[in-house]
Amino acid sequence: MPVISKREKYFPDVTKEKELGESPSSHRLLSQAENGKTGMADINSNRTGMEAKKVIRSPLSFFSHKIGVGGTLGLQEYMVTVNSGQEDELEVWGYRVHVVKYLATLAGILLTFGLLGLPLYWWKHWWLRFTRVQCILEEATSVLVVDHYKGIHTTYHVKDVYRFNHAQGDMVIPANGKADYQIVSNFRYFNCKKNRYIWDNVEATFYKLEGLDRNISLGELHAYKEGLSEGSTKMRSFLYGKNEIVVPMESLWMLFVKEILSPFYVFQLFSICFWYADDYWQYSTAILLTSCVSLASALYQTRKNQQNLRDTIVSSEVVTRLRPDGTSHQVISSDVVPGDIIVVPDHGCQLLCDAVLLEGVAIMDESMLTGESVPVTKSSLDKHPATTIYNNRDHEKHTLKCGTKVIQTRKYRDQVVTAVVIRTGYLTSKGDLVRSILYPPPVDFQFEKDSHKFIAGMACIATVGMIYSMVRMVLAEESFHDVVFEVFDLITIVVPPALPAAMTIGIVLANQRLLPKNIFCISPRTINVAGAVDCTCFDKTGTITEDGMDMWGVLPVQNGMHSLQEEGEEMVGWREPVQDISLLSQDSLLVLGMATCHELNIIGGEMRGDPLDEKMFSSTGWMLEMEGEEQSQLDQLSMPYMKSPVTSTNSVIQAAPQKLFQFSSDMQRMSVVTRVVEEQQEGFTEPSTMVFCKGSPEMIQRLCLPDTLPPDYTSVLESYASHGYRILAMAGKVIVPAMAKAGKLNKMTREQVEADLTFLGLVILENRLKTASIGVLTELRGANIRTVMVTGDNILTAVSVARDCGLVPQGEDIIRCRAEMVMGRPSVTWMRLVDRPVEQNSQQPFKKDTTKLSLENNPYHLAVDGASFEIICDSFRDCILPFLATRGAVFARMRPDMKQRLVEILQDLDYRVIMCGDGANDCGALKAANAGISLSEAEASVASPFTSKTPDISCVPILIRESRAALVTSFGIFKYMAAYSITQFVSVMILYDIFSNLSDFQFLWIDLFLITTLAAVFGFNNAYSGPLAPHPPMSSLISLQPLFSLLSQLAIGICFQVAIFFYTRAQPWFVQFDYDNPCYIGTPAEAAFNSSGLRDRFGCDPEDDPVASYENFSIFTISQFQYIILVIAFSKGYPYRESFLKNLPLLVDILLLTAFCLFLTVWPESWNACQIHYELFAPPQEDTTYRLVILAMVGGNLVLSLFCEMFVSDVVVSKMARSGDKKHEKINLELSKRPEWPPLSTDTERTEVEATQSNDQEDSQVFIMGTDIARPTNQAFDSLFSTPVATDSSSHSAAAVSLNPPTATPKRHVAGSELMLSSPCKSFSTAQASPTSSNSTTGKFVSCDRIDTSSEPEAER
């Protein structure tokens, strides 16, 4: 048996948190080398051990290692990591039952009357520790599944391991990491979060059960075209189960038991029982009634949510399944398994599994998953190359997804549209969506964690008070009954049972206020999180700008204006821009391309498709038609044909698409092969077969023949893009008749079709800003909330929109970061983007500004495209990525996974991020953000905690404003409840010291009438309607300002209580309370006590726990005012909430309670029944000075509390507490000291930063080429964070010797300046060199520890 240290005997060490944790997905995306996992099994690499890598950390390396278990010999036998490097990465630890421990635990539960079972029920991993022993996974009967969410939130799941043993091999399981199945007679598995994990005997590890699409080739998928035999279906059904997405529906009784056993209700139940036993029935009854109402509401809401989700999800269809013998069977969709061949019906069917289309074409409605109502055309999967591995993203155009609807199919007349099932149940796309609802990511919010710590601290205070009181009462020989009741009474005082309920008031009220503003929340706990955000990310199209695009016009070239039959000399010059497309010749190639290159369809007699395609096609004036009646064409594999208006030569052009390569966001283009004929008066012309391709100008540029592109192509493109236009490029070519036959066309690959194209022109569209965008972005910027645009559009278009909408203020520069691979090495250049308007009716390019920019006093923002972003994440993650993520304003050409990656990087820099998108391609980023807002009402919005029915970004400041108010309310009410409990605790401890206490009716007055009513209306303050404050409210209780605020108020309250106590004792009429003589018999106070009626009501027996005394009167009267003072002090208004004076319910409650408190203090004798109920032994009426002194002390307490809270805490301490310790603040501070960064490129100067990861051991250099004077070292960008000179790093010295030996400049030797980054694994040097020699430099790689600060001589020009 391997040796395991005592610390790791039962559980992994999850306490080794680094400065910054990251999610498994972020871990993977940032290419961070994993550390400290030696000896653990990685199921993706099929290895039982991982080689530890030596990683040298950099001061800027904020993206730290994933938190895990340190390497310990033998851990691979106890633990494996499943889903390694993925978002759902889990650690699995093996356990088996230990009979002795199991029986001992059961005995302990019985002996403690179930009390021991409560913590074991709450923390089920402790149940494992008490009843089981850790063992090798092969012998495990239970597993502990540990989920380190983002490295900062650990969740434990305890799951049973199931084993099936059959006498003969009649079961199948997937081969680990392979596409085939193996027949077995037994297998073991466990289920976690609706995923099944199967044991691999060969690799000695668990692996996740996946569908048919794991590592399967296209040829293997097509091999399933005949279908599965009945025996194979039965075996796979046993493995995968029913094809159902079952939402668990628990009975009301089970829900009740689970709810009542939660810590909150258990503590409330204990408190209620204790109070009833102590004859404190009034308040306990009130708490019991409110708890019942709360419990009933919780059960109703939970049940309703489960029912609604189940009603939404549960559905079934009758499908046709094919067998290898050629027969077909009608079966319920729940019976299909991966590998089945199903027939896709013509129309009107909802697909309830994920399948790959093998034959035919299907037009699908995917709005449920994507939020887009545009029909999507799915084509059959290619058969060649057969060895290509199927990938869900790459082959999305061939994949039918669960939950989508089949609108229509197309096929040859005798063809059957078939698809192979690849995923069923929770393995499908819809299943993954439902799983994200059932198991949402934990909301990690500092306030909640701190509140738990604070409650624990209050419990410690209660423990100290308990011990002190117990010792005092034992020494006084009090009865056991009195000791127990008085001691436990302190627990319910210091930790009030109503605290958790009170803390949710702000969230509940904020949620109610969001509803009338068309913002709906499915995760109310996220409201407080949104109150602390300081960064907002926006999608562009559909979010900042309108969804639809309007045609601006076209910019053709000479070739694009040629007619169909024209065979003229090819010319590449630009023609004049044309804004009215009808003015163009209908037979010109550019118009023909616009009319044929699209994915429009006729569905239900209407043209349906992408809105951009619709706009472009409609502008040509052509018509979309089907041959004959639409219904008769449903059995044909044909697309609608296009028909032009009558041309200038009285002819009509008809185009029939033959082959379509659909648009892909990764490929950034689509193309169509179409057969074109011209119907003239004398008949039809000879048909021509043509290819038209449209897409992003950058992509089309690569596909076109260079000699067909105008020489100023790039500059003209930039001129229009910089004005915010959406630009598409159009290209085409003619296919020679020999290759135009149908058989040869079908065999042509996309690469062959799209090769050697002729450029035809640019199609220019404009996208208008939404009316709310400018005002919202201006408001957010005024509140110091960073705004970032994350879009899939062209970078220059995005930059222009960013300027127009105010995301980048006028006068502030935008610098483009461009990263590319040069000779296999990454290179980075920086260029300022100049904002100049494009001239209408002119295609002249703008001249670039070649002036060297000094950014010392000029704010700037960075812009980057997706390709450059990926290179920087992979190669410059320590030296450029933190700066780019901190100063980046525009991130363009970003794929959905890149958007999610960016959000996680921003979070790693200590930003709290709101992501706002239209729900189409933003689901990953919406889920990853601290708070996501979807502007789509489709079911894809379930990925986001918030959904706005108002389709613009005006919801963002509304949400922030309400969330800030909710957060401040939560803070205030928590501090109020904590201060109330400690204040009451102090009052009780003072009275305990004289063996007295507050009376039951005094407790009732404080707990029920004062605290409960004030707490109930505390959060009724509306959010502040003025401008957003420049700083978010505090989000941590364990920080300077909240602690000072709470402790200062407690100190003030305690001082006044002690002061009134001693002041009372100093009065001439004062008689000290005697527990054995509670009626003051034989003392000067006897007459006054008898006249009050207290003796007749309560008697003089000490066993009845009398409390009436002068000390009790003084402590009670001043403390009741203190609870009102606390609510006034903690009810913060500006700048996050309206003043409490506008909170009418709170104001009325305060006035009424204060009036009654005055009555109890000044004139209690005037209402004798009330005085008796409260057990108030008031001082002599003749001494009015004493009561006025109490009121004066109350006034002093109020003034001092308000001064301390409003001035000292909110002004002085607040400034001290707002330290710039967040990582992005440190980076901005460092950049403010670097006026020369980033080094900008000009026409004659180019800055390249070349680096690779240190593991590759390649050169890392910076080259600055040009005729500029070399900068001295002390002005260069020598380090991003200063490295102390005294530090002697051997790794730096070694790098200086080995990585960059001196090289000679071929033409001239120029004195250079050393430039270093402080990252030990990446150091850089700069030197002036000849522009013709980019790979030579005189600057050497120098250790960061030995930076030369002397100035170098200037280089000759």
Side-chain angles (χ1 to χ4, degrees):
M1 180 67 67
V3 178
I4 304 298
S5 65
K6 183 178 180 180
R7 175 182 62 84
E8 294 166 329
K9 186 174 181 181
Y10 296 104
F11 297 101
D13 179 8
V14 295
T15 60
K16 299 178 179 178
E17 294 196 10
K18 308 295 183 184
E19 179 186 4
L20 174 69
E22 61 181 87
S23 66
S25 59
S26 178
H27 176 81
R28 178 183 74 257
L29 295 171
L30 294 173
S31 303
Q32 177 71 12
E34 187 167 351
N35 189 21
K37 283 288 194 79
T38 304
M40 298 181 188
D42 186 335
I43 62 121
N44 284 356
S45 61
N46 292 326
R47 293 179 297 170
T48 57
M50 294 180 61
E51 181 181 356
K53 297 180 181 180
K54 183 178 180 181
V55 180
I56 303 174
R57 305 297 294 166
S58 160
L60 270 183
S61 187
F62 292 133
F63 313 106
S64 62
H65 298 290
K66 188 187 77 67
I67 299 163
V69 181
T72 302
L73 188 63
L75 283 183
Q76 70 273 18
E77 299 186 30
Y78 289 166
M79 190 276 283
V80 294
T81 301
V82 298
N83 311 326
S84 180
Q86 301 177 28
E87 185 176 353
D88 56 347
E89 180 176 294
L90 303 171
E91 293 174 0
V92 181
W93 297 75
Y95 287 84
R96 59 179 171 82
V97 176
H98 191 281
V99 177
V100 175
K101 296 177 67 174
Y102 186 82
L103 294 176
T105 302
L106 289 180
I109 293 174
L110 293 175
L111 292 174
T112 58
F113 300 100
L115 292 180
L116 177 61
L118 286 175
L120 298 184
Y121 170 78
W122 296 333
W123 299 289
K124 289 184 173 57
H125 55 285
W126 285 98
W127 171 257
L128 275 185
R129 180 171 184 175
F130 275 77
T131 61
R132 287 162 173 77
V133 63
Q134 201 171 59
C135 67
I136 60 176
L137 285 163
E138 192 171 5
E139 301 174 355
T141 58
S142 301
V143 290
L144 173 67
V145 183
V146 185
D147 182 5
H148 300 291
Y149 180 76
K150 291 193 174 183
I152 55 177
H153 194 289
T154 301
T155 307
Y156 298 97
H157 307 273
V158 177
K159 300 297 177 181
D160 291 328
V161 178
Y162 302 96
R163 182 192 300 269
F164 287 96
N165 291 297
H166 289 192
Q168 54 185 349
D170 59 353
M171 298 180 291
V172 294
I173 62 172
N176 187 6
K178 301 178 182 178
D180 56 343
Y181 292 82
Q182 52 185 333
I183 298 178
V184 295
S185 60
N186 65 82
F187 75 94
R188 303 166 63 234
Y189 71 93
F190 71 88
N191 298 320
C192 183
K193 293 184 177 181
K194 302 300 180 182
N195 283 320
R196 178 168 292 184
Y197 296 89
I198 298 175
W199 175 253
D200 185 349
N201 288 309
V202 178
E203 300 291 340
T205 185
F206 283 99
Y207 62 94
K208 183 165 72 172
L209 175 64
E210 297 179 288
L212 190 67
D213 56 326
R214 65 191 186 287
N215 297 326
I216 194 170
S217 65
L218 305 188
E220 289 173 311
L221 278 174
H222 276 283
Y224 279 93
K225 64 182 180 180
E226 301 297 333
L228 294 176
S229 65
E230 187 174 352
S232 297
T233 299
K234 185 176 180 181
M235 287 190 289
R236 295 194 185 190
S237 178
F238 186 81
L239 173 66
Y240 289 101
K242 289 285 189 180
N243 175 32
E244 295 174 335
I245 303 175
V246 180
V247 177
M249 285 287 293
E250 295 175 315
S251 65
L252 284 174
W253 170 251
M254 185 58 65
L255 288 174
F256 171 78
V257 171
K258 285 187 175 182
E259 196 74 23
I260 204 68
L261 289 180
S262 65
F264 167 58
Y265 282 109
V266 167
F267 184 62
Q268 277 205 336
L269 188 61
F270 161 77
S271 302
I272 290 171
C273 294
F274 171 77
W275 289 330
Y276 271 118
D278 197 26
D279 202 25
Y280 186 38
W281 63 270
Q282 300 95 333
Y283 184 62
S284 56
T285 301
I287 294 297
L288 178 62
L289 292 176
T290 56
S291 298
C292 289
V293 172
S294 174
L295 181 61
S297 175
L299 293 178
Y300 170 77
Q301 194 63 44
T302 302
R303 184 73 171 182
K304 181 181 177 183
N305 291 341
Q306 290 181 352
Q307 189 69 49
N308 290 341
L309 184 59
R310 187 173 185 175
D311 292 343
T312 303
I313 300 304
V314 173
S315 57
S316 62
E317 293 272 352
V318 176
V319 298
T320 302
R321 179 167 59 189
L322 302 183
R323 292 296 189 195
D325 58 5
T327 61
S328 61
H329 302 273
Q330 299 284 328
V331 297
I332 300 298
S333 57
S334 59
D335 292 336
V336 300
V337 297
D340 272 336
I341 295 296
I342 60 173
V343 176
V344 182
D346 292 339
H347 55 82
C349 164
Q350 184 175 20
L351 211 65
L352 297 178
C353 60
D354 285 356
V356 174
L357 201 61
L358 298 183
E359 299 288 343
V361 173
I363 302 174
M364 309 294 294
D365 177 5
E366 295 188 340
S367 60
M368 193 284 294
L369 292 177
T370 66
E372 295 281 1
S373 58
V374 177
V376 179
T377 302
K378 302 286 186 176
S379 59
S380 57
L381 183 70
D382 298 329
K383 297 181 180 179
H384 303 285
T387 57
T388 300
I389 300 298
Y390 172 83
N391 180 277
N392 188 44
R393 193 182 76 179
D394 296 340
H395 298 95
E396 185 179 3
K397 292 296 183 180
H398 316 295
T399 305
L400 312 180
K401 297 181 180 180
C402 178
T404 61
K405 293 182 179 179
V406 179
I407 301 176
Q408 180 177 306
T409 61
R410 295 202 174 114
K411 57 189 176 181
Y412 293 116
R413 291 190 181 274
D414 298 328
Q415 189 183 30
V416 178
V417 181
T418 59
V420 56
V421 178
I422 57 173
R423 290 183 293 266
T424 58
Y426 274 98
L427 298 177
T428 62
S429 305
K430 188 173 183 178
D432 189 54
L433 190 64
V434 176
R435 187 189 298 110
S436 68
I437 300 173
L438 296 176
Y439 307 100
V443 180
D444 179 67
F445 189 44
Q446 192 67 33
F447 171 69
E448 291 192 4
K449 294 196 299 185
D450 289 346
S451 65
H452 297 156
K453 296 177 183 177
F454 217 95
I455 293 174
M458 292 165 63
C460 292
I461 296 175
T463 303
V464 173
M466 285 170 54
I467 296 173
Y468 172 77
S469 299
M470 188 184 305
V471 171
R472 288 268 304 174
M473 297 181 74
V474 168
L475 292 177
E477 298 181 351
E478 293 286 337
S479 66
F480 177 78
H481 175 273
D482 290 343
V483 172
V484 170
F485 272 76
E486 296 296 341
V487 164
F488 277 102
D489 191 33
L490 290 175
I491 298 179
T492 61
I493 291 175
V494 177
V495 185
L499 178 58
M503 289 174 58
T504 63
I505 289 177
I507 297 176
V508 172
L509 292 175
N511 196 15
Q512 293 298 318
R513 285 195 288 261
L514 287 173
L515 292 177
K517 298 171 183 177
N518 287 330
I519 300 175
F520 300 88
C521 178
I522 63 173
S523 177
R525 293 175 65 241
T526 314
I527 293 177
N528 272 349
V529 181
V533 297
D534 51 7
C535 178
T536 52
C537 295
F538 297 99
D539 182 32
K540 182 180 76 69
T541 306
T543 303
I544 294 178
T545 62
E546 297 287 352
D547 276 317
M549 307 286 289
D550 290 330
M551 282 291 299
W552 181 86
V554 294
L555 183 61
V557 293
Q558 296 288 352
N559 288 329
M561 300 302 293
H562 289 170
S563 65
L564 182 63
Q565 305 298 331
E566 183 179 354
E567 296 184 359
E569 181 179 350
E570 291 192 352
M571 302 183 65
V572 297
W574 295 103
R575 297 285 295 267
E576 289 295 319
V578 178
Q579 291 188 261
D580 187 355
I581 310 301
S582 63
L583 299 178
L584 295 175
S585 175
Q586 291 295 333
D587 59 354
S588 64
L589 294 180
L590 180 58
V591 173
L592 188 58
M594 295 171 62
T596 59
C597 192
H598 52 71
E599 297 181 63
L600 298 176
N601 287 285
I602 295 178
I603 300 174
E606 296 181 359
M607 182 173 66
R608 297 278 300 276
D610 186 274
L612 188 147
D613 283 345
E614 291 184 17
K615 286 282 185 183
M616 190 181 305
F617 180 79
S618 299
S619 69
T620 63
W622 286 46
M623 298 182 64
L624 196 67
E625 295 186 359
M626 298 289 290
E627 294 182 10
E629 293 297 325
E630 180 186 348
Q631 294 299 321
S632 67
Q633 300 298 318
L634 294 178
D635 61 345
Q636 294 185 2
L637 184 63
S638 63
M639 290 170 282
Y641 74 93
M642 283 66 69
K643 187 176 181 180
S644 75
V646 178
T647 65
S648 58
T649 59
N650 292 324
S651 63
V652 175
I653 300 173
Q654 297 183 17
Q658 304 297 304
K659 192 177 182 70
L660 178 69
F661 294 99
Q662 295 169 327
F663 175 78
S664 168
S665 57
D666 292 333
M667 295 184 176
Q668 300 178 14
R669 66 184 185 274
M670 72 160 293
S671 56
V672 63
V673 180
T674 185
R675 189 157 290 161
V676 183
V677 296
E678 186 172 0
E679 183 182 359
Q680 300 176 343
Q681 291 181 350
E682 55 272 15
F684 289 93
T685 62
E686 194 69 24
S688 299
T689 304
M690 305 195 67
V691 172
F692 291 103
C693 181
K694 74 175 179 187
S696 70
E698 299 88 350
M699 180 56 66
I700 300 300
Q701 183 180 15
R702 297 181 208 167
L703 300 176
C704 288
L705 294 169
D707 56 358
T708 67
L709 293 165
D712 55 353
Y713 177 89
T714 302
S715 59
V716 170
L717 170 64
E718 291 180 353
S719 69
Y720 282 91
S722 65
H723 199 67
Y725 291 113
R726 173 82 177 270
I727 304 171
L728 296 176
M730 185 70 69
K733 70 175 181 180
V734 177
I735 296 181
V736 295
M739 296 296 297
K741 296 180 180 179
K744 291 186 177 181
L745 285 179
N746 289 334
K747 293 181 180 178
M748 292 183 70
T749 65
R750 184 166 193 158
E751 289 72 21
Q752 292 173 326
V753 170
E754 296 175 343
D756 301 327
L757 299 175
T758 297
F759 179 66
L760 301 178
L762 300 177
V763 180
I764 304 171
L765 303 101
E766 56 183 348
N767 196 194
R768 297 183 300 276
L769 290 173
K770 291 186 177 180
T771 54
S773 298
I774 296 177
V776 168
L777 293 171
T778 302
E779 183 178 12
L780 294 177
R781 194 174 65 251
N784 288 334
I785 297 175
R786 184 184 170 198
T787 52
V788 178
M789 181 187 292
V790 191
T791 178
D793 210 340
N794 177 278
I795 186 170
L796 295 179
T797 301
V799 166
S800 175
V801 173
R803 290 189 185 277
D804 292 342
C805 69
L807 189 140
V808 175
Q810 293 296 325
E812 297 186 7
D813 293 294
I814 299 180
I815 300 171
R816 178 176 181 178
C817 173
R818 175 177 289 167
E820 53 192 346
M821 302 300 292
V822 179
M823 299 180 64
R825 299 165 68 187
S827 168
V828 175
T829 58
W830 306 88
M831 178 71 70
R832 183 176 67 167
L833 299 178
V834 182
D835 181 32
R836 294 187 181 183
V838 66
E839 295 181 8
Q840 305 291 331
N841 302 322
S842 173
Q843 72 277 6
Q844 293 300 319
F846 301 135
K847 295 182 180 180
K848 295 182 180 177
D849 185 3
T850 59
T851 306
K852 190 69 179 179
L853 177 66
S854 174
L855 300 171
E856 183 171 2
N857 297 314
N858 194 20
Y860 66 90
H861 306 267
L862 302 179
V864 68
D865 58 44
S868 300
F869 179 73
E870 278 196 309
I871 293 175
I872 289 172
C873 286
D874 294 337
S875 302
F876 304 102
R877 62 184 312 274
D878 285 336
C879 53
I880 294 180
L881 181 59
F883 293 158
L884 178 64
T886 302
R887 286 291 179 94
V890 176
F891 294 82
R893 293 291 188 220
M894 298 285 280
R895 298 192 307 268
D897 61 307
M898 292 182 182
K899 294 182 179 182
Q900 178 178 349
R901 186 175 184 175
L902 174 63
V903 168
E904 291 173 340
I905 291 172
L906 291 172
Q907 291 170 330
D908 285 342
L909 292 175
D910 291 343
Y911 280 109
R912 296 292 176 90
V913 183
I914 278 183
M915 174 68 195
C916 183
D918 58 6
N921 298 315
D922 307 311
C923 285
L926 289 170
K927 289 174 63 177
N930 298 95
I933 310 176
S934 171
L935 302 185
S936 168
E937 294 185 46
E939 289 187 45
S941 64
V942 298
S944 170
F946 300 97
T947 301
S948 173
K949 287 191 175 181
T950 304
D952 58 44
I953 63 174
S954 62
C955 59
V956 175
I958 293 174
L959 175 62
I960 294 176
R961 188 173 281 109
E962 292 293 347
S963 298
R964 285 183 170 185
L967 181 57
V968 171
T969 298
S970 297
F971 256 75
I973 205 163
F974 184 89
K975 290 193 298 181
Y976 176 62
M977 297 297 288
Y980 137 70
S981 61
I982 299 299
T983 300
Q984 192 174 77
F985 172 75
V986 171
S987 301
V988 171
M989 290 302 297
I990 292 175
L991 295 176
Y992 270 14
D993 193 58
I994 61 172
F995 298 97
S996 182
N997 199 353
L998 297 174
S999 69
D1000 286 348
F1001 217 82
Q1002 289 172 351
F1003 273 120
L1004 184 68
W1005 164 246
I1006 294 172
D1007 295 339
L1008 184 59
F1009 293 96
L1010 281 173
I1011 304 303
T1012 303
T1013 60
L1014 290 173
V1017 297
F1018 185 93
F1020 279 37
N1021 297 57
N1022 290 323
Y1024 182 63
S1025 58
L1028 289 171
H1031 299 286
M1034 299 292 294
S1035 60
S1036 174
L1037 277 172
I1038 314 298
S1039 56
L1040 180 59
Q1041 185 185 0
L1043 287 178
F1044 175 83
S1045 171
L1046 181 59
L1047 295 178
S1048 61
Q1049 295 299 325
L1050 289 176
I1052 294 171
I1054 292 172
C1055 288
F1056 277 98
Q1057 283 197 34
V1058 173
I1060 195 63
F1061 183 78
F1062 285 105
Y1063 177 75
T1064 302
R1065 285 193 164 189
Q1067 298 307 305
W1069 41 259
F1070 174 76
V1071 177
Q1072 184 171 347
F1073 176 74
D1074 185 358
Y1075 180 76
D1076 294 325
N1077 183 20
C1079 292
Y1080 295 90
I1081 298 173
T1083 67
E1086 180 180 5
F1089 190 84
N1090 292 337
S1091 62
S1092 65
L1094 293 170
R1095 181 172 182 175
D1096 298 334
R1097 176 65 175 82
F1098 298 103
C1100 299
D1101 187 0
E1103 295 299 324
D1104 293 334
D1105 297 325
V1107 298
S1109 64
Y1110 292 132
E1111 295 95 333
N1112 170 279
F1113 179 87
S1114 62
I1115 295 298
F1116 168 72
T1117 52
I1118 197 169
S1119 66
Q1120 62 178 348
F1121 286 106
Q1122 288 179 332
Y1123 302 125
I1124 300 175
I1125 292 172
L1126 286 172
V1127 83
I1128 296 174
F1130 290 143
S1131 184
K1132 299 290 182 65
Y1134 174 85
Y1136 305 115
R1137 305 197 310 167
E1138 297 286 359
S1139 169
F1140 89 97
L1141 297 176
K1142 295 185 179 181
N1143 183 347
L1144 188 60
L1146 178 61
L1147 189 61
V1148 171
D1149 194 27
I1150 288 175
L1151 293 176
L1152 293 177
L1153 294 175
T1154 303
F1156 195 74
C1157 289
L1158 286 171
F1159 164 75
L1160 292 178
T1161 304
V1162 182
W1163 305 286
E1165 301 89 349
S1166 61
W1167 189 2
N1168 187 252
C1170 177
Q1171 181 184 8
I1172 293 175
H1173 271 88
Y1174 280 87
E1175 299 185 47
L1176 292 176
F1177 183 30
Q1181 287 185 324
E1182 297 80 15
D1183 191 359
T1184 56
T1185 305
Y1186 173 78
R1187 306 190 190 199
L1188 294 177
V1189 168
I1190 291 180
L1191 298 181
M1193 284 190 173
V1194 169
N1197 191 340
L1198 174 64
V1199 172
L1200 195 56
S1201 293
L1202 292 179
F1203 173 79
C1204 195
E1205 186 68 19
M1206 299 174 65
F1207 178 74
V1208 180
S1209 177
D1210 290 351
V1211 178
V1212 179
V1213 179
S1214 177
K1215 291 182 179 179
M1216 297 170 57
R1218 294 192 183 277
S1219 59
D1221 56 352
K1222 292 184 178 180
K1223 296 178 182 64
H1224 64 85
E1225 293 174 336
K1226 293 179 180 178
I1227 293 174
N1228 272 320
L1229 179 63
E1230 183 68 20
L1231 285 175
S1232 67
K1233 302 176 183 177
R1234 308 285 180 181
E1236 298 300 319
W1237 195 90
L1240 301 183
S1241 302
T1242 64
D1243 286 351
T1244 60
E1245 182 182 38
R1246 178 180 173 86
T1247 304
E1248 294 182 351
V1249 182
E1250 301 181 353
T1252 60
Q1253 295 293 336
S1254 60
N1255 295 332
D1256 297 333
Q1257 296 184 353
E1258 295 183 10
D1259 294 344
S1260 301
Q1261 300 174 342
V1262 171
F1263 300 105
I1264 297 181
M1265 299 166 290
T1267 57
D1268 199 8
I1269 300 176
R1271 301 185 188 92
T1273 304
N1274 58 358
Q1275 293 179 1
F1277 185 28
D1278 53 355
S1279 66
L1280 301 182
F1281 280 119
S1282 301
T1283 304
V1285 178
T1287 304
D1288 185 12
S1289 172
S1290 59
S1291 62
H1292 292 200
S1293 302
V1297 174
S1298 63
L1299 292 183
N1300 198 21
T1303 57
T1305 305
K1307 293 190 176 182
R1308 56 176 176 169
H1309 185 88
V1310 184
S1313 61
E1314 310 292 336
L1315 183 148
M1316 246 81 45
L1317 293 175
S1318 63
S1319 170
C1321 60
K1322 297 180 182 67
S1323 297
F1324 302 81
S1325 61
T1326 64
Q1328 298 298 330
S1330 169
T1332 61
S1333 177
S1334 62
N1335 294 326
S1336 61
T1337 178
T1338 59
K1340 296 185 295 183
F1341 187 110
V1342 179
S1343 167
C1344 295
D1345 303 328
R1346 292 181 250 170
I1347 297 177
D1348 183 9
T1349 58
S1350 61
S1351 299
E1352 298 290 341
E1354 294 184 355
E1356 296 180 0
R1357 292 190 178 273

